[in-house]
Amino acid sequence: MPLPWLKMPELWQSRSGCGILDLINYKENGGTRMRTLLKGGSVVSGGGARRLDLLVENEKVAALGRNLKEAADRVVDVSGCFLFPGFIDAHTHFDLEVAGTVTADDFASGSRAALRGGTTTVIDFACPDRGESLQSGLSRWHGKAEGKTFCDYGFHMTIDDWNESVRNELPDMFAQGISSFKMYMTYPAMMLGDRDLYWALKELKRLGGICGVHCENAGVIDGMIAEKKAAGALSPASHPATRPPWLEAEAVARLLRIAQTADCPVVIVHLTNGEALREVQRARRRGQTVYVETCPQYLLLDESLYNSKAFSDAARYVCAPPLREKGEQDVLWKALRHGDIQTVSTDHCAFTLEQKAMGLEDFTRIPGGLPGAETRGELIWSFGVARRKISAAQMCRLLSENPARLYGLFPRKGTLQPGGDADIVVYDPSGSRIIRGEDSVSAAGYSPYEGFATSGVIRQVWLRGCLSVEDGTVLEQPPHGRYLVRGKCSL
């Protein structure tokens, strides 16, 4: 059901979006300020949901209160809906060259997909090639994103080499708003050895940075892959068999001992299983600071999907780490409920089925990654909040507040409080839709969650006070995402 527009000034002629970014903030040059009042909804924070009206003035939240009587240029009835702070996806890969191809989603299509799903901020990865300066990689990623991105955005910096040149560049990264970094314990072109991991973490600790790490045991995985190839077992079913959960857990344990020695907090990205989680819990009992991210695919999909006889049906789910046994899903949902996992990002790394077919004769050549930015919010509500596995407040912490604090964006992002950006997701729990790839904004052309029925729908998304999505449609307007200079972790 569309949300009714209760009052409409003469200037505001239709419901079809901002009208050239709210007519440049409602005749900004003439000194008039655009004010929007959202009435009748429940504003969600990490502490709970409260029935409050919300006033937006230009790009900021101006006021919250019961039955606000503030004058407004437009009043929007959001009765029965939950108002979340705009979601933050701190793990996307747009316009990334990998596995002999380029991701299907660039910053234009990927950010439009994210925005449709309630994500108003993404943090992508600037990836210098090995031997290239960090600045060169960052400049290239700015070129990919600037003027093309429909939501606000920032970058993590990937460190795939460690030397004095890289060390000397790190302060410049912080000065340009890069306060988080990414390192890999797998993938030969990107991984760091234990010595370099230790040295890099020590330097990040000194500078006050935070680092996310992809944890898998590369050496044993390579050995298992070689055995599968020698046996002629080249189908997608060999993908999970060569990346078992205990090799993820081993790498997590090893990283955490290295981080303990360096006395540096770390983020375990896309954690998939209980064995790895127990290593985190042990480290926390030792007094270490460890943050954990998981993804919707590990909460909702399982490794049986790799056993399909049809190559395209199995290959579409190839990602690293792979999907796990169904029982791991309950472990992860309980960890979310108990606060053992701090964020749910997507690891959105989209390829078309035609691109996935590169691995038709060899599972190691299937480009790894899934689309997910477009569906995260509705999935977490539908299979988490609606089924009482987590609360609306916990969803807010996982998708908005915690990533904002972890990655130096709070309180500008991640909360609906006066002075913060008016990034708002209007969630209607009474609606429903069937997820279908053919309806997706993502250029992948399919959804891993094909046929899933949602409990509730995202009715509207506001980016800095500008209506950007309505009833599942990304409204026609120029891309106006801004690069975010981020501070340090406050979680």
Side-chain angles (χ1 to χ4, degrees):
M1 147 181 99
L3 295 170
W5 290 73
L6 301 184
K7 297 181 181 178
M8 199 76 67
E10 184 177 350
L11 171 68
W12 201 261
Q13 295 298 327
S14 76
R15 299 172 60 231
S16 60
C18 297
I20 314 301
L21 305 189
D22 282 351
L23 295 186
I24 315 303
N25 284 330
Y26 200 24
K27 298 185 176 178
E28 181 180 65
N29 293 334
T32 304
R33 300 176 68 81
M34 174 65 81
R35 291 159 64 90
T36 301
L37 183 61
L38 282 71
K39 291 188 66 69
S42 295
V43 174
V44 186
S45 72
R50 296 176 61 200
R51 165 64 184 85
L52 296 170
D53 298 336
L54 188 152
L55 179 68
V56 174
E57 188 163 356
N58 282 353
E59 298 189 344
K60 301 292 184 181
V61 176
L64 295 164
R66 295 294 298 270
N67 300 314
L68 286 181
K69 305 299 183 183
E70 303 280 349
D73 302 290
R74 56 187 171 182
V75 179
V76 185
D77 182 9
V78 291
S79 297
C81 294
F82 290 86
L83 275 56
F84 284 89
F87 304 143
I88 298 170
D89 192 345
H91 195 149
T92 64
H93 297 283
F94 299 153
D95 202 355
L96 177 66
E97 298 176 16
V98 63
T101 187
V102 181
T103 53
D105 280 321
D106 60 9
F107 277 85
S109 65
S111 64
R112 289 183 80 248
L115 197 58
R116 186 193 189 196
T119 292
T120 53
T121 298
V122 298
I123 309 179
D124 205 86
F125 295 85
C127 301
D129 295 329
R130 180 162 284 180
E132 184 182 28
S133 71
L134 301 183
Q135 184 60 57
S136 179
L138 178 58
S139 297
R140 189 163 70 253
W141 250 258
H142 274 302
K144 293 171 183 278
E146 188 173 358
K148 307 168 190 173
T149 308
F150 285 83
C151 61
D152 287 352
Y153 63 97
F155 300 123
H156 309 285
M157 174 56 63
T158 297
I159 298 175
D160 60 12
D161 200 3
W162 186 253
N163 51 48
E164 283 304 304
S165 177
V166 171
R167 182 198 301 271
N168 291 336
E169 280 195 274
L170 289 178
D172 288 339
M173 296 296 103
F174 283 87
Q176 296 176 70
I178 308 291
S179 56
S180 54
F181 299 82
K182 173 78 174 292
M183 294 189 287
Y184 291 83
M185 300 176 76
T186 188
Y187 304 133
M190 307 177 76
M191 63 183 288
L192 292 182
D194 292 352
R195 182 199 66 180
D196 289 345
L197 272 172
Y198 167 68
W199 281 345
L201 288 175
K202 279 194 73 172
E203 188 64 12
L204 291 178
K205 164 70 174 183
R206 187 182 73 82
L207 295 169
I210 195 81
C211 187
V213 184
H214 179 136
C215 297
E216 291 184 280
N217 185 307
V220 181
I221 288 171
D222 287 347
M224 297 179 76
I225 287 173
E227 291 169 347
K228 288 293 184 182
K229 287 187 171 183
L234 301 177
S235 77
S238 289
H239 175 67
T242 58
R243 306 182 95 100
W246 53 87
L247 290 185
E248 179 185 349
E250 183 280 332
V252 168
R254 181 159 39 97
L255 168 72
L256 292 178
R257 287 300 188 180
I258 295 170
Q260 180 186 23
T261 308
D263 189 26
C264 184
V266 290
V267 184
I268 309 299
V269 299
H270 47 49
L271 183 137
T272 73
N273 68 88
E275 286 192 61
L277 181 64
R278 285 189 286 275
E279 297 296 343
V280 171
Q281 292 166 333
R282 290 187 187 100
R284 287 172 174 163
R285 288 195 293 269
R286 294 194 297 265
Q288 290 182 248
T289 300
V290 188
Y291 306 102
V292 178
E293 165 200 278
T294 194
C295 307
Q297 55 266 36
Y298 305 119
L299 295 166
L300 300 171
L301 306 175
D302 68 82
E303 67 181 13
S304 66
L305 294 164
Y306 296 121
N307 297 324
S308 173
K309 293 182 180 179
F311 171 85
S312 65
D313 289 344
R316 69 183 63 197
Y317 299 105
V318 167
C319 57
L323 307 179
R324 302 301 190 191
E325 291 183 353
K326 192 173 184 63
E328 300 289 3
Q329 296 173 12
D330 287 339
V331 174
L332 297 180
W333 279 113
K334 288 176 182 176
L336 292 174
R337 185 167 65 250
H338 296 149
D340 289 329
I341 296 176
Q342 284 66 53
T343 68
V344 177
S345 300
T346 63
D347 195 6
H348 181 102
C349 191
F351 299 96
T352 65
L353 296 181
E354 289 75 18
Q355 288 175 299
K356 292 279 189 178
M358 293 169 57
L360 186 61
E361 305 296 332
D362 178 356
F363 71 96
T364 65
R365 298 192 61 198
I366 300 171
L370 307 179
E374 193 165 342
T375 50
R376 177 183 56 149
E378 289 176 338
L379 290 172
I380 296 303
W381 177 281
S382 300
F383 296 92
V385 179
R387 298 192 180 190
R388 299 187 177 181
K389 294 180 179 179
I390 60 172
S391 67
Q394 287 171 319
M395 175 172 162
C396 180
R397 290 198 293 272
L398 292 164
L399 270 57
S400 304
E401 186 174 311
N402 284 352
R405 292 183 184 275
L406 182 59
Y407 296 114
L409 290 169
F410 193 86
R412 177 180 176 183
K413 304 289 188 182
T415 184
L416 294 174
Q417 291 295 325
D421 283 356
D423 298 342
I424 307 163
V425 179
V426 179
Y427 198 91
D428 181 358
S430 69
S432 181
R433 74 180 183 99
I434 303 299
I435 296 175
R436 304 209 182 279
E438 64 190 28
D439 301 327
S440 298
V441 173
S442 166
Y446 79 97
S447 171
Y449 310 100
E450 183 77 24
F452 279 41
T454 70
S455 299
V457 293
I458 292 172
R459 286 295 181 198
Q460 293 182 333
V461 182
W462 300 75
L463 174 62
R464 287 182 275 107
C466 174
L467 181 62
S468 299
V469 177
E470 188 164 25
D471 295 329
T473 299
V474 182
L475 302 179
E476 292 300 325
Q477 56 198 21
H480 62 289
R482 290 179 182 164
Y483 173 69
L484 300 169
V485 175
R486 295 182 292 114
K488 294 181 180 179
C489 172
S490 65
L491 181 59

